[in-house]
């Protein structure tokens, strides 16, 4: 279990408790202290004295992507699971995910992510889950489950998944960008791993107003998404992935473009012109790559930015 740690002293004990108290016990916990300036290092040290499964890596601040990459490199397990340090997982999460992986000889197990606020963990955890009653889908084309309309939806988050270690070979999180999860997830799905998609929430994302996701109204966010999109395109333009590419163009690009437009609109007056300029550059590039089908978009008005910026 890879846990990047940065400025999360408010949440860290809660996260570690949810991992330590798993019903499955045979695993290591690799905590990567990414130069955290608060008391997170002290909390990690205290927990490592209580549980020998905890391994602490301390590095200068390099960002979430490198914390995860370095955590994977330092780990030895057959399976990999990412947990962010302000989130929690259900007590049976690892037990059920590993049982499903072994039962179906799967390389990827994906489960639901549920957004929660602090204070109701006991309610989340009191449900005892019977693995035999779970609603699942087994597929070797998981990329086609990457849509909000899909019952067995595979989320873009890297966290709500159990990976066979081998499926991550050659794949890393892109250094230096925010919102690094979705290009990593699409890189994994491009390998067409045998996947068990579970229609049950085992991962609980904590709504944290101080997190990266809630502080993204700046031009760099637009550029980072553009970098991620281009990374995915470079993988999916291969001839053997044409159906997957078409699916991605139709289902992902309109969604992400509308999100980008919303970020521009809601940005402060000071940075809004710069964000629109970055967005115009992104749209021009996507259009040249034939990744925009304007009939699928609500961003048609942004054609003006392509023409006049």
């Amino acid at each position: 279990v890879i846990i990047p740690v940065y400025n999360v002293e408010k949440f860290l004990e809660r996260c570690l408790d949810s991992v330590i108290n798993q019903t499955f016990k045979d695993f290591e916990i690799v905590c990567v202290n990414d130069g955290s300036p608060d008391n997170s290092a002290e909390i990690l040290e205290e927990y490592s004295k209580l549980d020998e499964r905890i391994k602490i890596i301390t590095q200068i601040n390099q960002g979430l992507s490198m914390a995860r990459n370095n955590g994977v490199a330092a780990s030895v397990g057959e399976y990999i699971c990412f947990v962010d340090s302000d989130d929690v997982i259900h007590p049976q999460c690892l037990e059920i995910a590993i049982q499903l992986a072994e039962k179906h000889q799967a390389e990827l197990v994906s489960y639901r992510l549920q957004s929660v606020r602090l204070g109701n963990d006991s309610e989340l955890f009191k449900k005892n889950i019977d693995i035999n009653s779970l609603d699942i889908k087994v597929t070797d084309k998981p990329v086609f489950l990457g849509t909000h309309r899909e019952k067995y939806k595979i989320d873009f988050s890297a966290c709500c998944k159990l990976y066979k270690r081998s499926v991550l070979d050659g794949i890393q999180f892109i250094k230096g960008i925010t919102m690094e999860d979705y290009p990593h997830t699409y890189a994994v799905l491009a390998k067409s791993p045998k996947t068990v998609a579970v229609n049950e929430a085992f991962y609980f994302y904590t709504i944290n107003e101080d997190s990266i996701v809630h502080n993204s109204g700046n031009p760099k966010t637009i550029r980072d998404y553009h970098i991620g999109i281009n990374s995915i395109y470079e993988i999916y333009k291969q001839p053997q992935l044409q159906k997957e590419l078409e699916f991605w163009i139709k289902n992902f690009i309109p969604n992400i473009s509308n999100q980008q437009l919303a970020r521009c609109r809601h940005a402060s007056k000071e940075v809004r012109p710069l964000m629109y300029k970055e967005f115009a550059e992104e749209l021009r590039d996507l259009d040249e790559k034939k990744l925009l089908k304007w009939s699928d978009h609500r961003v048609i008005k942004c054609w003006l930015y392509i023409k006049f910026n």
Side-chain angles (χ1 to χ4, degrees), residues 158-208:
C159 290
C160 50
K161 298 170 180 65
L162 179 79
Y163 306 83
K164 192 78 177 283
R165 187 181 195 90
S166 56
V167 84
L168 295 180
D169 287 349
I171 298 175
Q172 290 201 325
F173 293 92
I174 300 173
K175 181 180 179 180
I177 69 170
T178 55
M179 316 302 180
E180 62 289 301
D181 281 31
Y182 76 92
H184 184 274
T185 295
Y186 269 108
V188 171
L189 300 184
K191 291 187 173 185
S192 297
K194 188 173 184 182
T195 300
V196 180
V198 186
N199 188 25
E200 182 77 43
F202 296 143
Y203 189 95
F204 303 103
Y205 164 77
T206 305
I207 299 171
N208 176 8

Side-chain angles (χ1 to χ4, degrees), residues 62-70 82 158 170-187 212 220 223-235:
Q62 300 179 56
L64 180 57
S65 289
M66 288 307 299
R68 286 175 175 169
N69 290 340
N70 293 336
F82 299 103
I171 298 175
Q172 290 201 325
F173 293 92
I174 300 173
K175 181 180 179 180
I177 69 170
T178 55
M179 316 302 180
E180 62 289 301
D181 281 31
Y182 76 92
H184 184 274
T185 295
Y186 269 108
I212 295 171
K220 183 180 184 303
R223 290 195 298 273
D224 287 352
Y225 266 109
H226 192 182
I227 290 169
I229 290 170
N230 282 337
S231 172
I232 298 169
Y233 174 68
E234 289 301 314
I235 297 171

